[in-house]
Amino acid sequence: MTEATIERLRLFLIESPIKMARLQGVGNVKGTVKRVLIELTSRDGVIGWGEAAPWEVFTGTPEAAFSALDIYLRPIVLGKPVRRIRALMAELDRALVGHAEAKVAIEMALLDIVGKSSGLSVADLLGGRVRDTIPLSFSIADPDFAADLDRMRKMVPDGNVIYKVKTGVKPHREDLDHLAAIRKEFGDKVDLRVDYNQALAPFGAIKILRDVEEFAPTFIEQPVPRKFLDVMAQLTAALETPVLADESCFDRRDMMEVVRREAADAVSIKLMKAGGLFEAQAIMAIADIAGLPGYGGTLWEGGIGLAAGTQLIAATPGISLGCEFYMPHHVLTEDVLEERVVNRGGHVVVPDGPGLGIRVSEASIRANARVLAEA
């Protein structure tokens, strides 16, 4: 029997309006977000979708991801066997340094094809489900805090109880006032977390974070810049609240260094950092050995990337701290899926169809596409 190969590759650079501005500590976002969608078609006609969602202050630009896919990776992908995913990913790494988002988009699409061809979900291909739903974390990052508080008033009664407050952008006193307002109104009904996105300087960080500890956050995410891993270790040792590493951990080597230095108590697993679902599971395997739980982080993915993220978390026991896959439902004005991945009772419901378990709307893609490349 002849092995199916990749016959066609289409790329779309998408620009999507968002409903609210986002203050993130670094790289604040407003107006629109950009991402790259990839459609692979096998010789036997099965289509798979993937998504690259870089952020210029975090990993790179969407335009660079588009060019990487179109110019450097396209010639390698076309004609390759669909099912030899690990071999192809290794070849992509040899051909092009970095560009993790472009590579994970290809891997997503290949897994989507293999899943559809075999009748299995991507979670099945990754080892099988350990969970069918994932607790959803919503980020409090609107410049208008009162608007976020109003959102919480509507979301908490529906079962949305995890909230991650973006801190370090506004004055420290204002951050404390916001945390106090949330605790005063919702008390222990909400699981409160804070994320500095590298905003604090090492000098004086401990005093600021001890103030924050008064509000009993579940974790404090990436308080200082990535390069200060020794400071992360000092803060992890000094604070009662667990410290979560995000920008300090992109790959397996980073994870081993975080573990060696005891620089965090938990880790954010993001497909756009890891560059692959298999790679994300490998990072999490190292964290498992050290007893560090994982959290499902995101950049600015839409429904395709987040569907892949749900499949990953469904099949990876250690990613147990929930996920922040709220973009398609709460921030994007329009997604590219015919039906959005279901949110129910404060949880993301993992799609159970073959492949990624989603259907992509060609009309929505073309309405939002700024650049198209196909061959």
Side-chain angles (χ1 to χ4, degrees):
M1 182 169 145
T2 304
E3 192 171 6
T5 57
I6 297 299
E7 184 175 51
R8 186 187 189 200
L9 185 157
R10 290 202 300 169
L11 295 173
F12 305 86
L13 179 61
I14 301 290
E15 186 168 11
S16 301
I18 59 175
K19 300 174 185 177
M20 65 196 80
R22 315 298 287 158
L23 292 182
Q24 300 289 138
V26 292
N28 301 324
V29 177
K30 63 180 181 178
T32 63
V33 293
K34 295 178 183 178
R35 57 201 196 277
V36 181
L37 306 183
I38 180 172
E39 179 198 65
L40 297 181
T41 305
S42 66
R43 187 168 293 279
D44 51 3
V46 182
I47 291 173
W49 287 93
E51 180 172 352
W55 186 20
E56 58 271 19
V57 299
F58 199 102
T59 54
T61 67
E63 292 83 1
F66 187 96
S67 294
L69 286 161
D70 191 32
I71 299 171
Y72 297 97
L73 302 183
R74 178 194 294 274
I76 300 171
V77 172
L78 291 175
K80 287 296 193 298
V82 170
R83 296 195 177 194
R84 301 192 181 188
I85 299 174
R86 287 187 183 273
L88 177 55
M89 297 305 291
E91 188 172 352
L92 299 182
D93 281 340
R94 289 192 297 271
L96 183 66
V97 68
H99 294 284
E101 311 92 344
K103 293 168 184 175
V104 74
I106 291 171
E107 189 191 61
M108 276 183 218
L110 290 169
L111 286 167
D112 196 24
I113 291 174
V114 173
K116 289 173 179 174
S117 299
S118 61
L120 299 172
S121 71
V122 169
D124 294 329
L125 299 175
L126 294 174
R129 294 186 182 212
V130 296
R131 55 179 67 88
D132 297 307
T133 63
I134 307 162
L136 177 65
S137 171
F138 181 78
S139 289
I140 303 300
D142 195 319
D144 182 357
F145 175 72
D148 264 337
L149 209 55
D150 282 340
R151 290 185 187 98
M152 291 183 68
R153 293 184 182 113
K154 296 171 185 173
M155 294 172 69
V156 171
D158 291 335
N160 294 272
V161 297
I162 304 177
Y163 295 91
K164 191 170 76 169
V165 182
K166 296 292 186 176
T167 46
V169 185
K170 297 178 180 179
H172 178 51
R173 182 69 258 170
E174 196 168 345
D175 283 340
L176 296 180
D177 289 344
H178 293 167
L179 294 170
I182 292 171
R183 280 296 186 215
K184 180 178 179 181
E185 182 151 354
F186 301 102
D188 293 335
K189 289 190 295 186
V190 297
D191 178 338
L192 192 60
R193 302 154 180 208
V194 297
D195 181 7
Y196 279 90
N197 279 117
Q198 311 182 83
L200 296 181
F203 184 79
I206 187 65
K207 184 178 186 305
I208 290 171
L209 298 179
R210 282 189 171 137
D211 289 343
V212 167
E213 283 196 297
E214 294 182 17
F215 301 99
T218 298
F219 61 66
I220 296 170
E221 183 171 344
Q222 197 66 45
V224 296
R226 163 183 168 82
K227 63 183 178 180
F228 296 120
L229 203 58
D230 286 338
V231 178
M232 287 282 287
Q234 293 163 12
L235 295 173
T236 299
L239 295 169
E240 292 186 12
T241 303
V243 172
L244 182 139
D246 181 7
E247 289 90 340
S248 287
C249 185
F250 275 66
D251 54 25
R252 282 174 283 177
R253 185 181 296 275
D254 285 346
M255 188 74 254
M256 291 180 67
E257 194 65 9
V258 167
V259 169
R260 186 181 73 82
R261 297 201 202 182
E262 299 182 346
D265 302 292
V267 61
S268 177
I269 301 294
K270 293 180 177 176
L271 287 177
M272 297 302 136
K273 290 192 301 181
L277 286 82
F278 293 124
E279 179 66 18
Q281 284 194 315
I283 294 168
M284 200 58 231
I286 297 169
D288 286 339
I289 293 171
L292 276 60
Y295 170 69
T298 63
L299 293 183
W300 302 106
E301 296 97 314
I304 296 172
L306 296 187
T310 64
Q311 298 287 341
L312 168 70
I313 296 174
T316 311
I319 308 179
S320 58
L321 297 176
C323 69
E324 56 190 30
F325 297 171
Y326 63 88
M327 280 288 294
H329 280 268
H330 297 285
V331 179
L332 294 179
T333 59
E334 178 185 7
D335 197 14
V336 297
L337 303 186
E338 291 184 3
E339 296 178 2
R340 298 184 185 192
V341 175
V342 174
N343 284 191
R344 183 184 303 128
H347 288 69
V348 179
V349 179
V350 183
D352 59 5
L356 294 175
I358 56 174
R359 294 192 304 275
V360 175
S361 167
E362 180 85 11
S364 293
I365 286 179
R366 289 195 173 274
N368 291 280
R370 297 294 173 263
V371 183
L372 165 67
E374 52 188 319

